[in-house]
Amino acid sequence: KQEVTQIPAALSVPEGENLVLNCSFTDSAIYNLQWFRQDPGKGLTSLLLIQSSQREQTSGRLNASLDKSSGRSTLYIAASQPGDSATYLCVTSGGSYIPTFGRGTSLIVHP
Amino acid sequence: DGGITQSPKYLFRKEGQNVTLSCEQNLNHDAMYWYRQDPGQGLRLIYYSQIVNDFQKGDIAEGYSVSREKKESFPLTVTSAQKNPTAFYLCARSRWRGGRGETQYFGPGTRLLVL
């Protein structure tokens, strides 16, 4: 059964720092990996989707990489802002078609 | 709203009562999903549906039931058999191509509380 782990569980940084959020998964036979953002008490907002054949995706200040062979994905956030404060979740989709979520990284960016 | 709505925002359940959470999408996507989120835990899949009149159990289907009579609607019933229903419930939609789902789009969620 797929297991997804996110490190760190929580992160607090000053504004302007470049950040790295990590996601690891045990079964490399995935179709895609997706990163989401969740604000407190809200639904999830899709940030980036990486197909299994891709190595990375970029959107604005966000860059996500995927290394299937090592079972890892990394979300880079450049020049962090207080508005980036949220929980970031990664999810894999594989042969079972059942998406598997990590527990998330709770990010606080303080001014 | 990202083309998917959930209602109500808050729902209160009495002991032994069945309650139904609504999920509607207007973008003609094939696949719909129901997740449960508890504090400090990741989302766990309850049920999912790839096409009308068909649905599959996820990891934690016990105590829940669903229907998919229309493409745009995927209601979730929390039955009295679910002994710990207090949680945040999220519905999602996605296209279904090549035998697998694509990007998921989530609704705003329903918070269920037990009286």
Side-chain angles (χ1 to χ4, degrees):
Chain A
K1 182 182 176 182
Q2 178 75 284
E3 293 183 5
V4 178
T5 303
Q6 291 189 243
I7 295 174
L11 190 59
S12 179
V13 299
E15 182 176 7
E17 282 203 5
N18 298 325
L19 306 175
V20 175
L21 308 183
N22 297 293
C23 173
S24 62
F25 45 96
T26 55
D27 185 353
S28 61
I30 62 171
Y31 290 136
N32 58 55
L33 184 144
Q34 194 167 3
W35 283 92
F36 286 92
R37 168 188 173 135
Q38 185 178 29
D39 294 289
K42 305 290 186 181
L44 277 64
T45 300
S46 178
L47 298 174
L48 292 164
L49 171 71
I50 311 175
Q51 300 291 353
S52 62
S53 58
Q54 298 174 323
R55 297 284 291 181
E56 65 177 343
Q57 284 286 335
T58 299
S59 176
R61 293 183 294 108
L62 304 179
N63 174 276
S65 64
L66 174 63
D67 184 343
K68 275 184 56 178
S69 61
S70 65
R72 294 180 182 176
S73 176
T74 301
L75 179 67
Y76 296 90
I77 303 176
S80 58
Q81 303 171 358
D84 295 329
S85 299
T87 296
Y88 291 81
L89 297 158
C90 75
V91 54
T92 63
S93 294
S96 68
Y97 307 130
I98 296 179
T100 305
F101 279 81
R103 295 189 176 190
T105 293
S106 178
L107 173 65
I108 297 176
V109 181
H110 48 87
Chain B
D1 61 5
I4 184 166
T5 59
Q6 291 185 243
S7 63
K9 187 173 182 179
Y10 295 96
L11 186 59
F12 298 91
R13 193 191 92 163
K14 295 180 181 178
E15 203 71 36
Q17 185 182 36
N18 291 354
V19 293
T20 298
L21 286 62
S22 170
C23 179
E24 303 279 330
Q25 56 114 350
N26 60 5
L27 292 179
N28 203 38
H29 280 182
D30 294 310
M32 297 184 76
Y33 312 77
W34 273 107
Y35 294 91
R36 170 180 171 139
Q37 187 177 35
D38 294 281
Q41 295 196 35
L43 276 68
R44 292 181 290 170
L45 185 66
I46 305 172
Y47 271 99
Y48 67 104
S49 169
Q50 300 167 18
I51 58 173
V52 174
N53 293 322
D54 185 58
F55 46 83
Q56 307 295 328
K57 293 182 179 180
D59 294 327
I60 56 166
E62 187 174 350
Y64 300 96
S65 66
V66 294
S67 64
R68 188 88 187 275
E69 298 176 0
K70 299 184 296 183
K71 195 173 190 179
E72 60 268 25
S73 179
F74 191 41
L76 173 74
T77 296
V78 184
T79 74
S80 57
Q82 173 50 246
K83 299 306 179 187
N84 184 24
T86 298
F88 190 48
Y89 291 86
L90 289 159
C91 181
R93 58 172 178 84
S94 75
R95 292 188 182 91
W96 194 265
R97 292 178 180 169
R100 58 184 182 265
E102 299 192 339
T103 301
Q104 293 187 64
Y105 298 91
F106 282 79
T110 292
R111 188 164 299 279
L112 177 61
L113 300 167
V114 177
L115 295 177

